[in-house]
């Protein structure tokens, strides 16, 4: 399975969840293939081994089942196809309604004895109107039923075809009896079959319209992209389509224009509105060598950038890919609905047959018509579509709304798991704090500072950067190191001009047999003030101490308060010493602190919390957070962090705004609540509707209307998530 690739195929011809389940089951029977088929997005996400199975074979397998598949179309092409399909459904509905309306009027003759023209009751007239509805407009139900039955399964099409055919052909039987003896009044049900098909088409049309609204998030993200770029080539500027931009191109961006691609500023300075990415409305100042993100808005200065990422590699394309994958995934809560949908239709057919037998044998003995009407009502009121739509529509709208707020869920299972979180663990540096510390205190001479900064210049740690910047401000010249070693979580050791330099924690010094007693009081003082203090030793002799403070993010305290309001406890996990960590925790209202943790120990600390029956979400931004992000029940990466952390996480928070963490949990809670509502009404509808129909209390056309509207109600309820307040 290590050589597996992932592909997405667009599927056409699916009518309900049973279709998706059938395709999924058949694909999963193929060697080294794992498929996930989503009826709402009409996509199949497939992991397959190209050495065993080709894409053409996957497509052929789907076609053999009775559906069509092709490599996933571009969103614009897919939207165009959906618009055409919707138009076709609307036209079919209009024609069916025109033909069915006179037949609907005959129901009022039966029910209320209204004085209507006699030709409406003529069997030939009704036959002529009902036949094209049944066999031309309704042919799609026969095709769908045949395909499913041929493959040993049954879907909604089977129920519709059975119910309407029973009504239509019984009417033919009555019509033949009338032809042989015109004195008899035939009991016709042409109106039942035609009106049922019309109502079902009406429901399908409304459902399709509503479903297009659930996919708006991707369309809105795509609309953020610039269409053209002003390229500087051979000293001349020219507008070219975005698709022609390559890495290394120089691009000029004027005020009020979108940044076309990800890049780095090589000329000029400006402020950029990054709200589409981070949700932060205040423009961000940008100058030489700063990175810019494609599709953000240049506000007030002309800049020239060098393209560093184009096409599918840009930040926006990555976001679109994450949202698309999430919308096509399944939450575990959907498994129950999928399982029931797989057995649903055969059970309903069995109930309909049993209903017919009971009516004709016991309720109205020997009376064929009432038994048939009750059986038809059972067939048409039972709809597996509502069950199949309950979860995916909520997932689509929920992930889309979250993405609009800068929260990227990587899949439906992560939305469901986030809802269960009771403990949030926050890394300190770059998560609670801004990750840009400054030197606040230094005790030592200039020679010590020179050696200290020279040693730290080879380190990538944020604290090292702060020390180097401090030395530069003091106009200290840095020296070359002949050896350098970083000991994660403890400190560094370097050789500079034959001098052995140690920088780090008291434990680091003690392990090197260096006496720290002369600066112990200073260390304690700085640590109680929430500063990170480091000792400096040269040639095994302590020479000074330096304290660095990282400012807490403005939103940290409010974000933690909101987590508390959601009933979630908050823990800080840091490599800092306990006093420094406790000082910062007290400042922002954190419940518990796990301090002096080495990078390789972070994952085990998460495991300890899980062993205490905690459902843990880990929030981090660095490479050393990746194992803990993977170990946690939910890993949340700060989007300003490293790509390794983002890749390891289940949720990405764009822009580093801590307030998005409680927002992510609220989005999860709202989405799962919405799914449960959908499942409740879908289950409840069928549990209540089938017995009512079996008791003969529903006319078939009323049952058909209820069935059609059940799916619409589920999708409409899902669309309420577009208005959820985060």
């Amino acid at each position: 399975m290590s050589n597996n690739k992932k592909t997405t195929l667009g599927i056409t011809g699916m009518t309900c969840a049973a279709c998706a389940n059938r395709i999924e089951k058949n694909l999963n029977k193929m060697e080294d293939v794992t498929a996930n088929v989503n009826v709402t997005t009409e996509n199949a996400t497939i992991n397959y081994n190209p050495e065993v199975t080709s894409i053409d074979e996957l497509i052929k397998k789907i076609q053999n089942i009775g559906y069509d598949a092709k490599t996933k179309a571009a969103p614009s092409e897919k939207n165009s196809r959906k618009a055409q399909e919707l138009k076709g459904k609307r036209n079919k509905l209009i024609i069916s309604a025109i033909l069915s309306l006179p037949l609907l009027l005959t129901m009022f003759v039966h029910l209320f004895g209204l004085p209507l023209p006699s030709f409406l009751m003529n069997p030939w007239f009704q036959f002529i109107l009902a036949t094209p509805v049944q066999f031309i407009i309704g042919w799609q139900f026969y095709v769908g039923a045949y395909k499913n039955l041929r493959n040993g399964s049954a879907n909604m099409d089977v129920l519709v075809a059975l119910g309407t055919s029973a009504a239509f052909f019984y009417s033919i039987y009555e019509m033949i009896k009338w032809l042989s003896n015109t004195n008899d009044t035939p009991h016709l049900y042409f109106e039942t079959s035609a009106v049922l098909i019309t109502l079902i088409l009406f429901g399908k049309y409304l459902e399709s319209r509503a479903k297009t609204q659930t996919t708006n998030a991707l369309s809105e993200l795509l609309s953020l992209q610039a269409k053209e770029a002003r390229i500087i080539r051979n000293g001349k500027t020219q507008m070219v389509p975005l698709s022609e931009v390559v890495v290394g191109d120089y691009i000029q961006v004027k005020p009020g224009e979108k940044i076309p691609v990800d890049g780095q500023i090589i000329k000029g300075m400006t402020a950029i509105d990054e709200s589409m990415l981070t949700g932060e409305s205040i423009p961000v100042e940008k100058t030489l060598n700063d990175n810019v993100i494609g599709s953000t808005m240049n506000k007030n200065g002309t800049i020239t950038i060098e393209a560093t990422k184009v096409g599918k590699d840009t930040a926006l394309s990555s976001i679109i890919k994450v949202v698309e994958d999430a919308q096509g995934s399944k939450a575990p809560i959907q498994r129950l609905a999928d399982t029931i949908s797989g057995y649903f239709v055969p059970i309903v057919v069995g109930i309909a047959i049993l209903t017919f037998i009971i009516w004709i044998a016991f309720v109205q003995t020997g009376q064929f018509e009432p038994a048939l009407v009750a059986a038809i009502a059972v067939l048409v009121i039972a709809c597996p579509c509502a069950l199949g739509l309950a979860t995916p529509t909520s997932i689509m709208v929920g992930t889309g709304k979250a993405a609009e707020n800068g929260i990227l869920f990587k899949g439906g299972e992560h939305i469901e798991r986030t809802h269960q979180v009771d403990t949030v663990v926050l890394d300190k540096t770059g998560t609670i704090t801004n990750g840009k510390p400054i030197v606040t205190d230094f005790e030592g001479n200039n020679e010590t500072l020179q050696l200290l900064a020279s040693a730290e210049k080879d380190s990538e740690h944020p604290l090292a950067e702060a020390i180097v910047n401090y030395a530069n401000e003091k106009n200290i010249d840095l020296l070359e190191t002949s050896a350098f070693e970083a000991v994660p979580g403890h400190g560094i050791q370097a050789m500079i001009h034959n001098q052995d330099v140690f920088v780090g924690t008291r434990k680091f010094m003690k392990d090197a047999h260096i006496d720290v007693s002369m600066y112990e009081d200073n260390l304690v003082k700085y640590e109680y003030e929430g500063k990170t203090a480091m000792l400096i030793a040269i040639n095994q002799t302590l020479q000074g101490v330096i304290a660095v403070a990282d400012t807490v993010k403005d939103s940290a305290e409010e974000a933690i308060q909101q987590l508390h309001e959601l009933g979630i406890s908050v823990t800080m996990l840091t490599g800092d010493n306990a006093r420094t960590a406790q000082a910062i925790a007290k400042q922002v209202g954190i419940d518990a602190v796990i301090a002096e943790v080495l990078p390789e120990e972070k994952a085990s600390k998460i495991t300890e919390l899980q062993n205490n029956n905690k459902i843990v979400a880990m929030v981090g931004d660095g490479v050393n957070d990746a194992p803990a992000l993977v170990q946690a029940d939910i890993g949340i990466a700060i989007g300003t962090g490293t790509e390794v952390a983002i890749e390891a996480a289940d949720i990405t928070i764009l822009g580093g705004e801590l307030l998005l963490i409680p927002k992510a949990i609220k989005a999860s809670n709202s989405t799962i609540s919405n799914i449960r509502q959908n499942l409740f009404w879908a289950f409840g509808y069928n549990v209540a509707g089938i017995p009512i129909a079996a008791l003969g209390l529903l006319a078939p056309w009323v049952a058909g209307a209820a069935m059609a509207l059940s799916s619409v109600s589920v999708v409409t309820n899902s669309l309420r998530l577009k208005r959820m307040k985060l």
Side-chain angles (χ1 to χ4, degrees):
M1 296 289 283
S2 58
N3 296 324
N4 275 19
K5 289 186 176 181
K6 185 177 180 181
T7 189
T8 302
L9 299 178
I11 311 289
T12 55
M14 293 190 294
T15 58
C16 67
C19 300
N21 292 340
R22 188 63 190 168
I23 297 169
E24 194 173 283
K25 190 180 294 184
N26 277 270
L27 288 173
N28 287 333
K29 288 179 181 177
M30 300 175 73
E31 186 179 354
D32 271 6
V33 172
T34 306
N36 173 26
V37 182
N38 190 304
V39 69
T40 308
T41 59
E42 297 180 348
N43 286 334
T45 304
I46 306 170
N47 282 296
Y48 70 104
N49 186 341
E51 296 176 3
V52 178
T53 308
S54 67
I55 290 179
D56 287 341
E57 287 174 318
L58 294 170
I59 291 174
K60 187 176 180 181
K61 181 71 171 179
I62 294 168
Q63 289 171 337
N64 288 342
I65 304 168
Y67 305 90
D68 199 9
K70 57 182 178 181
T71 51
K72 193 178 68 171
S76 57
E77 182 184 336
K78 187 174 180 179
N79 290 340
S80 176
R81 177 178 61 80
K82 281 184 171 291
Q84 288 297 318
E85 288 179 358
L86 193 62
K87 185 178 179 182
K89 288 179 179 180
R90 183 196 65 191
N91 293 340
K92 268 188 177 183
L93 173 61
I94 291 171
I95 295 169
S96 186
I98 291 170
L99 292 172
S100 300
L101 182 59
L103 296 171
L104 181 63
L105 293 176
T106 66
M107 287 187 181
F108 292 100
V109 174
H110 290 303
L111 292 172
F112 307 111
L114 296 179
L116 293 172
S118 59
F119 71 85
L120 289 176
M121 307 305 296
N122 185 283
W124 283 111
F125 176 76
Q126 294 188 22
F127 172 78
I128 290 168
L129 290 178
T131 300
V133 175
Q134 184 73 36
F135 296 110
I136 298 176
I137 295 171
W139 186 246
Q140 66 191 62
F141 299 113
Y142 287 100
V143 172
Y146 168 73
K147 287 177 179 178
N148 275 271
L149 291 172
R150 186 186 67 183
N151 288 284
S153 65
N155 66 348
M156 187 201 76
D157 291 336
V158 173
L159 298 179
V160 175
L162 275 175
T164 58
S165 295
F168 184 88
F169 287 110
Y170 180 71
S171 299
I172 294 291
Y173 168 73
E174 283 289 306
M175 190 174 168
I176 292 170
K177 281 172 53 181
W178 170 75
L179 287 172
S180 63
N181 185 358
T182 55
N183 291 325
D184 289 342
T185 302
H187 297 278
L188 303 178
Y189 290 92
F190 286 124
E191 80 282 358
T192 297
S193 64
V195 171
L196 274 176
I197 288 173
T198 302
L199 287 171
I200 292 164
L201 290 176
F202 180 58
K204 284 289 180 187
Y205 174 70
L206 291 179
E207 180 188 315
S208 295
R209 277 192 60 184
K211 279 166 66 177
T212 58
Q213 296 178 47
T214 67
T215 59
N216 281 350
L218 280 180
S219 300
E220 289 167 5
L221 286 171
L222 286 166
S223 70
L224 296 173
Q225 291 179 315
K227 303 297 184 289
E228 295 180 309
R230 186 179 289 103
I231 302 291
I232 303 172
R233 288 177 180 162
N234 302 319
K236 297 180 180 179
T237 60
Q238 55 181 312
M239 297 300 292
V240 301
L242 195 63
S243 58
E244 294 182 14
V245 179
V246 297
V247 172
D249 272 340
Y250 289 172
I251 304 167
Q252 187 183 73
V253 188
K254 295 183 177 180
E257 294 180 345
K258 287 182 178 179
I259 310 288
V261 296
D262 295 1
Q264 186 177 46
I265 296 177
I266 60 171
K267 182 181 178 182
M269 58 188 297
T270 188
I272 294 178
D273 179 359
E274 296 183 341
S275 57
M276 55 73 59
L277 183 73
T278 65
E280 176 55 60
S281 58
I282 300 173
V284 181
E285 299 291 335
K286 298 282 185 177
T287 187
L288 201 64
N289 298 324
D290 282 344
N291 293 322
V292 293
I293 301 167
S295 305
T296 56
M297 182 66 72
N298 184 27
K299 299 296 285 185
N300 57 16
T302 298
I303 55 173
T304 302
I305 67 170
E306 180 180 353
T308 55
K309 291 181 180 180
V310 300
K312 62 181 178 60
D313 296 323
T314 63
L316 182 62
S317 295
S318 299
I319 291 169
I320 290 171
K321 179 70 167 59
V322 170
V323 175
E324 196 171 37
D325 288 348
Q327 291 187 339
S329 67
K330 286 185 179 180
I333 198 172
Q334 189 174 343
R335 292 176 189 148
L336 176 62
D338 286 349
T339 301
I340 291 173
S341 294
Y343 297 101
F344 191 81
V345 174
I347 291 172
V348 169
V349 173
I351 293 172
I353 293 171
L354 184 62
T355 298
F356 179 85
I357 293 170
I358 291 173
W359 269 82
I360 202 167
F362 302 107
V363 181
Q364 293 188 22
T365 307
Q367 296 293 311
F368 184 83
E369 289 176 30
L372 178 66
V373 169
I376 292 172
V378 169
L379 287 172
V380 298
I381 199 170
C383 178
C385 285
L387 281 175
L389 292 168
T391 299
T393 51
S394 294
I395 293 291
M396 288 187 72
V397 181
T399 53
K401 182 67 175 178
E404 289 175 14
N405 284 270
I407 303 160
L408 301 183
F409 287 94
K410 286 190 177 179
E413 67 274 22
H414 306 312
I415 289 184
E416 184 172 346
R417 194 63 170 157
T418 301
H419 169 69
Q420 300 166 338
V421 165
D422 56 27
T423 303
V424 169
V425 177
L426 300 174
D427 174 53
K428 181 178 78 70
T429 305
T431 302
I432 298 173
T433 63
N434 287 301
K436 294 183 178 179
I438 57 171
V439 173
T440 58
D441 303 271
F442 173 66
E443 298 179 39
N445 57 33
N446 283 349
E447 181 185 355
T448 299
L449 179 59
Q450 183 182 44
L451 291 170
L452 165 65
S454 299
E456 292 285 8
K457 77 179 189 314
D458 293 323
S459 172
E460 295 180 351
H461 198 285
L463 299 181
E465 184 181 349
I467 293 168
V468 172
N469 289 339
Y470 179 73
N472 289 336
E473 291 170 6
K474 300 287 186 181
N475 296 316
I476 301 291
D477 294 328
L478 302 187
L479 307 173
E480 290 299 316
T481 57
S482 55
F484 175 85
E485 180 186 2
V487 182
H490 292 291
I492 61 169
Q493 180 180 4
M495 185 64 68
I496 305 172
H497 291 192
N498 295 320
Q499 297 192 80
D500 201 2
V501 181
F502 281 79
V503 184
T505 64
R506 55 168 64 79
K507 184 179 185 304
F508 187 52
M509 296 296 168
K510 289 177 179 177
D511 288 346
H513 307 292
I514 298 171
D515 182 19
V516 302
S517 57
M518 67 179 292
Y519 283 113
E520 181 63 39
D521 291 343
N522 305 69
L523 286 175
V524 173
K525 173 178 175 289
Y526 295 143
E527 288 164 359
Y528 274 125
E529 291 173 353
K531 300 171 182 177
T532 299
M534 291 164 283
L535 297 160
I536 309 118
I538 300 170
N539 295 328
Q540 297 293 110
T541 303
L542 207 61
Q543 296 291 337
V545 62
I546 191 165
V548 179
D550 189 0
T551 55
V552 171
K553 288 181 178 178
D554 294 337
S555 60
E557 186 175 0
E558 184 181 351
I560 291 163
Q561 182 182 342
Q562 288 188 19
L563 288 170
H564 287 154
E565 289 170 357
L566 291 169
I568 294 169
S569 65
V570 184
T571 297
M572 180 197 292
L573 184 65
T574 179
D576 261 352
N577 68 78
R579 291 192 190 95
T580 301
Q582 287 288 357
I584 292 175
K586 184 177 179 181
Q587 184 179 344
V588 295
I590 284 174
D591 303 304
V593 173
I594 304 174
E596 300 178 20
V597 179
L598 297 177
E600 62 269 22
E601 295 175 342
K602 286 188 175 183
S604 65
K605 295 298 181 183
I606 298 294
T607 303
E608 288 176 17
L609 289 170
Q610 291 170 324
N611 290 339
N612 288 324
N613 298 317
K614 302 291 186 183
I615 307 297
V616 181
M618 169 70 193
V619 185
D621 71 327
V623 173
N624 60 4
D625 296 323
L629 291 170
V630 172
Q631 176 60 42
D633 298 284
I634 288 293
I636 304 177
I638 298 295
T640 50
T642 66
E643 290 185 6
V644 174
I646 293 171
E647 184 63 31
D650 306 310
I651 304 171
T652 298
I653 301 298
L654 299 177
E657 175 54 74
L658 279 183
L659 284 171
L660 292 182
I661 298 170
K663 283 186 178 183
I665 293 171
K666 289 175 186 175
S668 169
N669 292 345
S670 296
T671 302
I672 297 304
S673 175
N674 192 267
I675 289 172
R676 287 173 176 168
Q677 291 166 13
N678 285 346
L679 289 172
F680 172 80
W681 289 113
F683 278 122
Y685 162 83
N686 284 294
V687 168
I690 292 174
I692 292 171
L695 290 170
L697 300 176
L698 282 181
W701 70 274
V702 176
M707 184 270 279
L709 292 174
S710 65
S711 297
V712 178
S713 64
V714 163
V715 178
T716 303
N717 187 52
S718 298
L719 287 171
R720 291 193 308 110
L721 287 171
K722 293 172 77 79
R723 300 193 299 274
M724 69 176 165
K725 305 286 188 193
L726 297 181

